[in-house]
Amino acid sequence: MSQAGVLYVVATPIGNMGDISARAREILAGVGAVAAEDTRHSALLLRELGLQRPLVSLHEHNERARAVELVGRLRAGESIALVSDAGTPLISDPGYQLLQAALAAGITVSPVPGPSAAIAALSASGLPSDRFCFEGFLPARAIARRRRLAELAADARTLVIYEAPHRLAACLADLAAACGAARRACVARELTKHFETFYRGSLGELAERAKTDENMARGESVVLVEGAAEQAGDSARLDEMLQILLGFLPPSAAAAAAAKLTGTRRNDAYERALQLARKGPDDPA
């Protein structure tokens, strides 16, 4: 029996072709086939790279059936590259069913990391980036979107959302209503492309600007929102949790556990853990 092939999850540029990695190009040149969200789009990418590889469509409407076919080819020894239209596959893009089927069949899955719109936007947004919540696309229907935002509004992590151009203004208005108009935010548009733009300000300011600035609704956007401020009750809960954990764990481990359980930033939890450890269990907090 021949050795099974490898499923490569290959990140591709989100706009600027200069962001393709040398390894991504090497992998794309060497695989037996490229599974693509849109074969027409990926054909242009391969042509830009000077490559010719067989393309197989893999999108939300055919992924289940296509996964069976591709796993069969992988088991027969053929390596396959999975790509999306832009950025890192599976991040709000098809591919999960193929990935699960490949893993279930014992196929090696190897990431070829590179561009991601969420990470690119976060890195230059000016908002806290040590902890964040990637939400992807919010529900398209207004009622469902507002319900989801109500659930996210109290999260202390920076919120990262993908939004379509025609829904951007409504999304910002709903965010301002759910999180408060004063909450800091950023809209990153056309990342790495010629018209790349970052709009920074409060949610109220950005929601108002989206009503009149037509450029904000041109191209795909990443919306980032600063996390909710820690409340006094959260601080008391953190102390209570740390005081228990410090009886069994060193400060670093206690802080890591308490941060995860309370939603506190890990650095803040660690600083508080050190303070409590210095005071000792019998000292007043």
Side-chain angles (χ1 to χ4, degrees), residues 54-87:
L55 286 159
V56 179
S57 66
L58 182 89
H59 48 72
E60 60 179 332
H61 302 297
N62 74 350
E63 185 175 354
R64 187 178 298 278
R66 190 71 85 192
V68 175
E69 172 196 334
L70 293 175
V71 167
R73 294 171 65 169
L74 287 160
R75 295 181 71 173
E78 184 177 6
S79 288
I80 294 172
L82 171 65
V83 301
S84 61
D85 286 350

Side-chain angles (χ1 to χ4, degrees), residues 3 17 25 40 49-50 53 82 105 112 145 151-152 160 166 175-176 190 192 204 206 213 224 241 246 248 272 279:
Q3 184 176 358
M17 280 299 297
R25 190 186 188 288
R40 295 166 300 179
L49 297 175
R53 305 309 307 149
L82 171 65
V112 183
R145 181 172 62 246
E151 296 170 350
L152 294 168
V160 183
H166 64 283
L175 277 164
E190 293 287 86
T192 78
L206 293 177
D213 189 342
L224 307 100
M241 193 76 63
L246 286 168
F248 304 92
R272 185 56 179 157
K279 289 177 181 295

Side-chain angles (χ1 to χ4, degrees), residues 11-204:
T12 56
I14 57 177
N16 192 315
M17 280 299 297
D19 293 334
I20 189 78
S21 72
R23 181 170 175 238
R25 190 186 188 288
E26 179 184 354
I27 293 297
L28 290 172
V31 294
V34 176
E37 183 180 1
D38 184 332
T39 55
R40 295 166 300 179
H41 182 93
S42 294
L44 294 174
L45 170 69
L46 293 175
R47 192 174 304 133
E48 284 279 336
L49 297 175
L51 303 175
Q52 288 186 330
R53 305 309 307 149
L55 286 159
V56 179
S57 66
L58 182 89
H59 48 72
E60 60 179 332
H61 302 297
N62 74 350
E63 185 175 354
R64 187 178 298 278
R66 190 71 85 192
V68 175
E69 172 196 334
L70 293 175
V71 167
R73 294 171 65 169
L74 287 160
R75 295 181 71 173
E78 184 177 6
S79 288
I80 294 172
L82 171 65
V83 301
S84 61
D85 286 350
T88 301
L90 281 84
I91 309 301
S92 291
D93 284 322
Y96 182 73
Q97 293 181 55
L98 171 60
L99 186 76
Q100 289 296 300
L103 292 173
I107 302 296
T108 297
V109 177
S110 180
V112 183
S116 166
I119 300 302
L122 183 64
S123 69
S125 67
L127 299 176
S129 56
D130 53 336
R131 295 174 64 245
F132 62 93
C133 170
F134 175 68
E135 186 65 16
F137 285 96
L138 292 169
R141 294 182 177 274
I143 293 176
R145 181 172 62 246
R146 290 164 188 164
R147 184 182 301 121
R148 182 59 184 148
L149 290 177
E151 296 170 350
L152 294 168
D155 199 312
R157 299 168 294 177
T158 296
L159 179 62
V160 183
I161 296 168
Y162 286 166
E163 193 51 275
H166 64 283
R167 287 197 300 267
L168 179 62
C171 175
L172 288 169
D174 288 344
L175 277 164
C179 301
R183 187 88 67 91
R184 288 197 302 157
C186 173
V187 174
R189 182 181 73 89
E190 293 287 86
L191 288 167
T192 78
K193 300 176 184 177
H194 180 71
F195 293 106
E196 173 183 276
T197 310
F198 283 84
Y199 301 89
R200 301 178 180 90
S202 70
L203 278 172

Side-chain angles (χ1 to χ4, degrees), residues 165-277:
H166 64 283
R167 287 197 300 267
L168 179 62
C171 175
L172 288 169
D174 288 344
L175 277 164
C179 301
R183 187 88 67 91
R184 288 197 302 157
C186 173
V187 174
R189 182 181 73 89
E190 293 287 86
L191 288 167
T192 78
K193 300 176 184 177
H194 180 71
F195 293 106
E196 173 183 276
T197 310
F198 283 84
Y199 301 89
R200 301 178 180 90
S202 70
L203 278 172
E205 291 167 345
L206 293 177
E208 284 299 314
R209 181 165 186 172
K211 295 178 182 179
T212 57
D213 189 342
E214 295 181 356
N215 287 328
M216 285 186 75
R218 290 177 177 164
E220 298 294 329
S221 292
V222 183
V223 181
L224 307 100
V225 182
E226 184 178 33
E230 185 178 290
Q231 302 298 315
D234 295 332
S235 179
R237 182 167 174 248
L238 174 65
D239 280 7
E240 181 182 4
M241 193 76 63
L242 284 172
Q243 285 167 347
I244 295 171
L245 292 170
L246 286 168
F248 304 92
L249 299 170
S252 59
K260 190 167 186 179
L261 290 168
T262 63
T264 307
R265 297 184 190 279
R266 186 165 177 170
N267 288 345
D268 294 342
Y270 181 58
E271 182 178 344
R272 185 56 179 157
L274 291 177
Q275 292 172 354
L276 292 173

